[in-house]
Amino acid sequence: MGKRTTIRDVAAAAGVSVTAVSLVLNNRPSRVSEERRKVILEAAERLHYVPNQVARTLVTQRSMLLALVVPDIQNLFFAALAKRIEDECRQAGYSLIIANTSDSRAVESEIIRRLSARGVDGMFLIAAGESCVNIDDLRADVSECRCPVLCVDRLIDLDWCDGVGIDNRAGGRMAAQFLLECGHRRIACVSGDVRVGNAYERRDGFLEALREATGDEPVAVVEGDYRFDGGYASADTILESGATAVFCCNDLMAMGLMQRMHERGLAVPADLSVIGYDGIAERFGFGNPLTTIGQKIGWLAHESAMIMLDRIDRTGPDGVRHVTLPPELIRRGTVRIL
C-alpha cells in the first residue's frame, strides 16, 4: 500500500507553508494570492491529496456525513429518491449513509439512535408505516437526536419536525378527475396501507373528487401494500367488479395488477384503463408507459437538501418548516377515452 499524501506533501510541492495549504483547501478566508491558490490546488490534485476527515471533524465539529432512513429500499420510489438525495448531498460536499428499516418501528428506533450516536450532521427520515400509528414514539426518538432531522415524503404535517413532501390529496383528486374526464364512471381503487399518511391522503383525495363529481362510490376499493404483489393480488377483485378504470396508489401495484391482467389474456387499456402514482415505472424501464401521477423526485430531493443544509449551517427562518410540492399528471398509454 502506497504512502498517503499529507498536507505537508502538498505544501512542499507548492512551495508554501502548511498553514497556507490548510486555508486554501478548507476554503477559509486568507491573504493567499489567487496565483498561489491555483498552485496549491494544482499540487493537491497532482498528488491525489484526500483530506483526513477524522482530523477535519475534530477541527470543524462536522463529520460531513448525512443519513437517509428509508422504510423499504427495494421500493423503486424510495430507491430513486435515495439516489437523488445522494446526488444533492455529494454536490454539497457530504457523503450519505442509507439505512433500511424494513418498515419496522423497532428497527427504525434503533437506527435513529445509532446514527445519531455515530455523529452524522443531519438525518433525512422517511418514517416506517408503524410510526404513522405510533407518532409519539417517533417524536421521542427525534427529540433525542443530536442533529437536525427532516421528515421526507411521510408525516410532513407534523408540527414538531421539518418536513418536505408531495400534496398526496391533490394527487388523488387529480387521478379521479382525469379518469372522469376520459368518460369513466365505473372506477375502482387499489390503495396503500391507509394507516400511512400519504396512502390515506391519496385514497381520500380520490374518493372526494369522485363523490363531488358524480355522487358515486368506487365500484371496488382494495387495500394493497405498495408492493408489486399487492397489486397482483388485487387484480381479480378489480376485474370482477366490472370497473372500466382503476387508480392504483403507486406504480408498483399498477405493474402487479397489469401483470395479472396479462396472465388472464387481458389488455391495458382495452379491457381496463390503469393510472398509477409516483412516476417511476418508465424511469426503470418496466413494461408499457404508465399513465401516472408524478411526484417530481428531483424537486423533492432538492428541497429536502436545502432545508437540511440550512439547519446544519443555522441559517434560514426559525420554527418548523414544511414544504408541500404539487404533483403532476403524466399522460401515457394506459388510459383510454370512452
Side-chain angles (χ1 to χ4, degrees):
M1 181 180 294
K3 177 186 174 184
R4 178 190 179 99
T5 299
T6 68
I7 195 170
R8 293 183 182 279
D9 297 327
V10 176
V16 298
S17 68
V18 170
T19 300
V21 173
S22 176
L23 290 170
V24 169
L25 294 184
N26 287 291
N27 201 28
R28 293 181 179 175
S30 70
R31 296 181 180 178
V32 179
S33 68
E34 192 58 37
E35 180 180 356
R36 186 64 66 187
R37 175 183 295 272
K38 183 178 179 181
V39 170
I40 292 171
L41 293 175
E42 288 176 348
E45 183 176 2
R46 185 172 65 253
L47 295 174
H48 305 292
Y49 172 72
V50 178
N52 184 328
Q53 188 56 55
V54 174
R56 177 175 286 184
T57 297
L58 292 174
V59 174
T60 65
Q61 296 299 301
R62 291 190 183 179
S63 66
M64 300 308 293
L65 290 173
L66 297 174
L68 169 62
V69 181
V70 298
D72 182 6
I73 197 61
Q74 291 182 311
N75 182 304
L76 298 182
F77 172 73
F78 295 138
L81 179 58
K83 181 193 181 301
R84 296 302 292 268
I85 289 178
E86 184 175 30
D87 290 343
E88 294 284 344
C89 293
R90 185 173 61 254
Q91 290 175 18
Y94 286 85
S95 297
L96 184 69
I97 299 170
I98 301 174
N100 181 67
T101 67
S102 298
D103 227 6
S104 162
R105 168 88 270 272
V107 174
E108 178 183 72
S109 180
E110 177 187 351
I111 287 174
I112 289 173
R113 291 197 302 270
R114 187 176 297 171
L115 289 172
S116 178
R118 183 167 178 174
V120 297
D121 293 330
M123 193 182 308
F124 302 99
L125 172 63
I126 306 175
E130 295 176 28
S131 293
C132 299
V133 182
N134 226 334
I135 294 176
D136 289 343
D137 287 348
L138 177 63
R139 180 174 184 172
D141 286 341
V142 170
S143 68
E144 294 177 3
C145 281
R146 305 173 185 175
C147 65
V149 177
L150 172 71
C151 283
V152 183
D153 183 53
R154 294 179 175 177
L155 303 181
I156 61 167
D157 59 341
L158 300 182
D159 59 2
W160 47 266
C161 184
D162 291 338
V164 179
I166 304 295
D167 189 338
N168 287 285
R169 187 174 296 271
R173 294 183 64 88
M174 191 178 291
Q177 290 162 355
F178 178 64
L179 293 177
L180 291 168
E181 288 169 5
C182 290
H184 294 277
R185 293 297 179 268
R186 297 186 59 79
I187 303 174
C189 177
V190 182
S191 75
D193 181 347
V194 294
R195 296 176 302 169
V196 179
N198 59 3
Y200 174 83
E201 289 171 356
R202 290 176 197 179
R203 187 201 65 175
D204 238 38
F206 174 80
L207 295 177
E208 282 176 0
L210 198 61
R211 291 164 183 158
E212 288 171 8
T214 68
D216 296 331
E217 298 291 326
V219 295
V221 177
V222 180
E223 185 173 319
D225 56 5
Y226 275 179
R227 293 179 171 84
F228 182 94
D229 290 346
Y232 183 95
S234 74
D236 289 337
T237 298
I238 299 300
L239 293 167
E240 290 163 8
S241 72
T244 63
V246 60
F247 169 45
C248 295
C249 288
N250 79 340
D251 287 353
L252 275 177
M253 293 191 299
M255 289 186 284
L257 183 144
M258 290 190 292
Q259 172 62 32
R260 177 57 181 154
M261 287 182 62
H262 176 74
E263 292 175 2
R264 290 184 54 166
L266 300 174
V268 176
D271 294 302
L272 181 70
S273 291
V274 180
I275 182 170
Y277 198 112
D278 281 340
I280 54 89
E282 190 170 15
R283 181 189 302 270
F284 288 91
F286 290 107
N288 297 328
L290 176 66
T291 298
T292 189
I293 306 299
Q295 292 218 63
K296 300 181 181 179
I297 292 175
W299 194 0
L300 185 61
H302 179 73
E303 290 292 332
S304 298
M306 292 303 98
I307 291 179
M308 178 61 74
L309 294 174
D310 282 350
R311 288 304 189 203
I312 293 171
D313 294 334
R314 294 183 173 85
T315 58
D318 294 330
V320 174
R321 297 176 63 184
H322 287 162
V323 176
T324 304
L325 307 172
E328 61 180 340
L329 174 64
I330 302 174
R331 305 185 187 204
R332 295 190 177 123
T334 57
V335 175
R336 69 186 178 108
I337 299 175
L338 297 182

